[in-house]
Amino acid sequence: MAPRTVNRLFFLAWLLIIGISVHDGYLVLLHRWSIGSFERNPLGRLLLAAGGGDIWLLLAVKALGTACVSSILLLIYWSRPLLGCTICLAIAALQLLLLLFLYLA
């Protein structure tokens, strides 16, 4: 695969991952009054409980996780572009599945 193609694929997938993560956080904020009743992620439930039902701890952990994952993806990509692109595309596909789940479940 040409380096330019790898660059474009990586950065599009990388931005998609970040965008869907931010959108997920926005949905939590938008539905903050009822998120406790329909959050299915066990870690999300734990963070909501630890925050006394408030969403801020959950949003902080989501933001920190997104920052860590996106940074690690960049580091992998800078050291091994093809591997970094492959990993990033796989995570982007999983993020797309999450987005579909959020809207279809």
PDB file of all heavy atoms in Angstrom, residues 71-86:
ATOM      1  N   SER A  71      -3.501   8.735  21.623  1.00  0.00           N
ATOM      2  CA  SER A  71      -2.059   8.974  21.738  1.00  0.00           C
ATOM      3  C   SER A  71      -1.263   7.702  21.457  1.00  0.00           C
ATOM      4  O   SER A  71      -0.248   7.739  20.745  1.00  0.00           O
ATOM      5  CB  SER A  71      -1.712   9.489  23.135  1.00  0.00           C
ATOM      6  OG  SER A  71      -2.354  10.716  23.373  1.00  0.00           O
ATOM      7  N   ILE A  72      -1.709   6.590  22.000  1.00  0.00           N
ATOM      8  CA  ILE A  72      -1.017   5.314  21.773  1.00  0.00           C
ATOM      9  C   ILE A  72      -1.078   4.944  20.291  1.00  0.00           C
ATOM     10  O   ILE A  72      -0.088   4.468  19.719  1.00  0.00           O
ATOM     11  CB  ILE A  72      -1.610   4.208  22.667  1.00  0.00           C
ATOM     12  CG1 ILE A  72      -1.236   4.475  24.124  1.00  0.00           C
ATOM     13  CG2 ILE A  72      -1.149   2.830  22.228  1.00  0.00           C
ATOM     14  CD1 ILE A  72      -1.984   3.621  25.133  1.00  0.00           C
ATOM     15  N   LEU A  73      -2.229   5.176  19.663  1.00  0.00           N
ATOM     16  CA  LEU A  73      -2.337   4.901  18.227  1.00  0.00           C
ATOM     17  C   LEU A  73      -1.341   5.733  17.426  1.00  0.00           C
ATOM     18  O   LEU A  73      -0.719   5.245  16.481  1.00  0.00           O
ATOM     19  CB  LEU A  73      -3.763   5.154  17.735  1.00  0.00           C
ATOM     20  CG  LEU A  73      -4.791   4.102  18.111  1.00  0.00           C
ATOM     21  CD1 LEU A  73      -6.198   4.580  17.756  1.00  0.00           C
ATOM     22  CD2 LEU A  73      -4.483   2.779  17.428  1.00  0.00           C
ATOM     23  N   LEU A  74      -1.179   6.998  17.789  1.00  0.00           N
ATOM     24  CA  LEU A  74      -0.194   7.845  17.107  1.00  0.00           C
ATOM     25  C   LEU A  74       1.226   7.316  17.303  1.00  0.00           C
ATOM     26  O   LEU A  74       2.015   7.270  16.355  1.00  0.00           O
ATOM     27  CB  LEU A  74      -0.279   9.280  17.616  1.00  0.00           C
ATOM     28  CG  LEU A  74      -1.365  10.151  17.030  1.00  0.00           C
ATOM     29  CD1 LEU A  74      -1.391  11.507  17.730  1.00  0.00           C
ATOM     30  CD2 LEU A  74      -1.182  10.335  15.535  1.00  0.00           C
ATOM     31  N   LEU A  75       1.542   6.918  18.525  1.00  0.00           N
ATOM     32  CA  LEU A  75       2.887   6.392  18.789  1.00  0.00           C
ATOM     33  C   LEU A  75       3.160   5.130  17.979  1.00  0.00           C
ATOM     34  O   LEU A  75       4.255   4.968  17.420  1.00  0.00           O
ATOM     35  CB  LEU A  75       3.064   6.121  20.283  1.00  0.00           C
ATOM     36  CG  LEU A  75       3.124   7.349  21.190  1.00  0.00           C
ATOM     37  CD1 LEU A  75       3.102   6.933  22.660  1.00  0.00           C
ATOM     38  CD2 LEU A  75       4.344   8.190  20.874  1.00  0.00           C
ATOM     39  N   ILE A  76       2.192   4.232  17.929  1.00  0.00           N
ATOM     40  CA  ILE A  76       2.358   3.008  17.134  1.00  0.00           C
ATOM     41  C   ILE A  76       2.507   3.368  15.662  1.00  0.00           C
ATOM     42  O   ILE A  76       3.385   2.845  14.962  1.00  0.00           O
ATOM     43  CB  ILE A  76       1.168   2.043  17.338  1.00  0.00           C
ATOM     44  CG1 ILE A  76       1.131   1.528  18.780  1.00  0.00           C
ATOM     45  CG2 ILE A  76       1.253   0.866  16.356  1.00  0.00           C
ATOM     46  CD1 ILE A  76      -0.136   0.785  19.137  1.00  0.00           C
ATOM     47  N   TYR A  77       1.666   4.275  15.191  1.00  0.00           N
ATOM     48  CA  TYR A  77       1.713   4.661  13.782  1.00  0.00           C
ATOM     49  C   TYR A  77       3.050   5.297  13.420  1.00  0.00           C
ATOM     50  O   TYR A  77       3.600   5.034  12.352  1.00  0.00           O
ATOM     51  CB  TYR A  77       0.557   5.612  13.461  1.00  0.00           C
ATOM     52  CG  TYR A  77       0.579   6.079  12.037  1.00  0.00           C
ATOM     53  CD1 TYR A  77       0.198   5.224  11.000  1.00  0.00           C
ATOM     54  CD2 TYR A  77       0.987   7.363  11.717  1.00  0.00           C
ATOM     55  CE1 TYR A  77       0.236   5.641   9.692  1.00  0.00           C
ATOM     56  CE2 TYR A  77       1.026   7.781  10.408  1.00  0.00           C
ATOM     57  CZ  TYR A  77       0.651   6.925   9.393  1.00  0.00           C
ATOM     58  OH  TYR A  77       0.697   7.339   8.092  1.00  0.00           O
ATOM     59  N   TRP A  78       3.575   6.147  14.289  1.00  0.00           N
ATOM     60  CA  TRP A  78       4.844   6.807  13.993  1.00  0.00           C
ATOM     61  C   TRP A  78       6.007   5.817  13.953  1.00  0.00           C
ATOM     62  O   TRP A  78       6.963   6.027  13.222  1.00  0.00           O
ATOM     63  CB  TRP A  78       5.133   7.895  15.014  1.00  0.00           C
ATOM     64  CG  TRP A  78       4.254   9.100  14.854  1.00  0.00           C
ATOM     65  CD1 TRP A  78       3.605   9.501  13.728  1.00  0.00           C
ATOM     66  CD2 TRP A  78       3.924  10.046  15.859  1.00  0.00           C
ATOM     67  NE1 TRP A  78       2.891  10.645  13.971  1.00  0.00           N
ATOM     68  CE2 TRP A  78       3.067  11.012  15.274  1.00  0.00           C
ATOM     69  CE3 TRP A  78       4.258  10.193  17.203  1.00  0.00           C
ATOM     70  CZ2 TRP A  78       2.559  12.085  15.975  1.00  0.00           C
ATOM     71  CZ3 TRP A  78       3.749  11.266  17.896  1.00  0.00           C
ATOM     72  CH2 TRP A  78       2.909  12.207  17.287  1.00  0.00           C
ATOM     73  N   SER A  79       5.924   4.741  14.729  1.00  0.00           N
ATOM     74  CA  SER A  79       7.022   3.770  14.725  1.00  0.00           C
ATOM     75  C   SER A  79       6.841   2.695  13.651  1.00  0.00           C
ATOM     76  O   SER A  79       7.820   2.249  13.053  1.00  0.00           O
ATOM     77  CB  SER A  79       7.180   3.129  16.099  1.00  0.00           C
ATOM     78  OG  SER A  79       6.049   2.373  16.428  1.00  0.00           O
ATOM     79  N   ARG A  80       5.594   2.269  13.408  1.00  0.00           N
ATOM     80  CA  ARG A  80       5.311   1.251  12.384  1.00  0.00           C
ATOM     81  C   ARG A  80       4.007   1.604  11.684  1.00  0.00           C
ATOM     82  O   ARG A  80       2.933   1.162  12.114  1.00  0.00           O
ATOM     83  CB  ARG A  80       5.223  -0.120  13.043  1.00  0.00           C
ATOM     84  CG  ARG A  80       6.562  -0.491  13.696  1.00  0.00           C
ATOM     85  CD  ARG A  80       6.684  -1.894  14.132  1.00  0.00           C
ATOM     86  NE  ARG A  80       6.366  -2.846  13.109  1.00  0.00           N
ATOM     87  CZ  ARG A  80       6.081  -4.116  13.348  1.00  0.00           C
ATOM     88  NH1 ARG A  80       6.066  -4.553  14.570  1.00  0.00           N
ATOM     89  NH2 ARG A  80       5.809  -4.945  12.367  1.00  0.00           N
ATOM     90  N   PRO A  81       4.077   2.407  10.634  1.00  0.00           N
ATOM     91  CA  PRO A  81       2.876   2.949   9.992  1.00  0.00           C
ATOM     92  C   PRO A  81       1.840   1.909   9.556  1.00  0.00           C
ATOM     93  O   PRO A  81       0.651   2.090   9.806  1.00  0.00           O
ATOM     94  CB  PRO A  81       3.421   3.715   8.786  1.00  0.00           C
ATOM     95  CG  PRO A  81       4.812   4.070   9.158  1.00  0.00           C
ATOM     96  CD  PRO A  81       5.294   2.945  10.019  1.00  0.00           C
ATOM     97  N   LEU A  82       2.263   0.837   8.947  1.00  0.00           N
ATOM     98  CA  LEU A  82       1.294  -0.148   8.467  1.00  0.00           C
ATOM     99  C   LEU A  82       0.588  -0.843   9.627  1.00  0.00           C
ATOM    100  O   LEU A  82      -0.635  -1.031   9.601  1.00  0.00           O
ATOM    101  CB  LEU A  82       1.976  -1.170   7.553  1.00  0.00           C
ATOM    102  CG  LEU A  82       1.062  -2.007   6.688  1.00  0.00           C
ATOM    103  CD1 LEU A  82       0.150  -1.128   5.836  1.00  0.00           C
ATOM    104  CD2 LEU A  82       1.870  -2.927   5.799  1.00  0.00           C
ATOM    105  N   LEU A  83       1.322  -1.202  10.653  1.00  0.00           N
ATOM    106  CA  LEU A  83       0.718  -1.819  11.838  1.00  0.00           C
ATOM    107  C   LEU A  83      -0.216  -0.827  12.533  1.00  0.00           C
ATOM    108  O   LEU A  83      -1.342  -1.181  12.915  1.00  0.00           O
ATOM    109  CB  LEU A  83       1.804  -2.277  12.813  1.00  0.00           C
ATOM    110  CG  LEU A  83       1.316  -2.873  14.135  1.00  0.00           C
ATOM    111  CD1 LEU A  83       0.521  -4.148  13.887  1.00  0.00           C
ATOM    112  CD2 LEU A  83       2.482  -3.121  15.075  1.00  0.00           C
ATOM    113  N   GLY A  84       0.228   0.409  12.685  1.00  0.00           N
ATOM    114  CA  GLY A  84      -0.602   1.425  13.312  1.00  0.00           C
ATOM    115  C   GLY A  84      -1.889   1.658  12.549  1.00  0.00           C
ATOM    116  O   GLY A  84      -2.963   1.805  13.141  1.00  0.00           O
ATOM    117  N   CYS A  85      -1.799   1.672  11.227  1.00  0.00           N
ATOM    118  CA  CYS A  85      -2.989   1.862  10.398  1.00  0.00           C
ATOM    119  C   CYS A  85      -3.946   0.680  10.551  1.00  0.00           C
ATOM    120  O   CYS A  85      -5.158   0.868  10.669  1.00  0.00           O
ATOM    121  CB  CYS A  85      -2.586   2.044   8.938  1.00  0.00           C
ATOM    122  SG  CYS A  85      -3.966   2.455   7.859  1.00  0.00           S
ATOM    123  N   THR A  86      -3.414  -0.518  10.571  1.00  0.00           N
ATOM    124  CA  THR A  86      -4.240  -1.720  10.720  1.00  0.00           C
ATOM    125  C   THR A  86      -4.984  -1.712  12.055  1.00  0.00           C
ATOM    126  O   THR A  86      -6.192  -1.966  12.118  1.00  0.00           O
ATOM    127  CB  THR A  86      -3.370  -2.983  10.602  1.00  0.00           C
ATOM    128  OG1 THR A  86      -2.678  -2.953   9.352  1.00  0.00           O
ATOM    129  CG2 THR A  86      -4.211  -4.241  10.699  1.00  0.00           C
TER     130      THR A  86
END
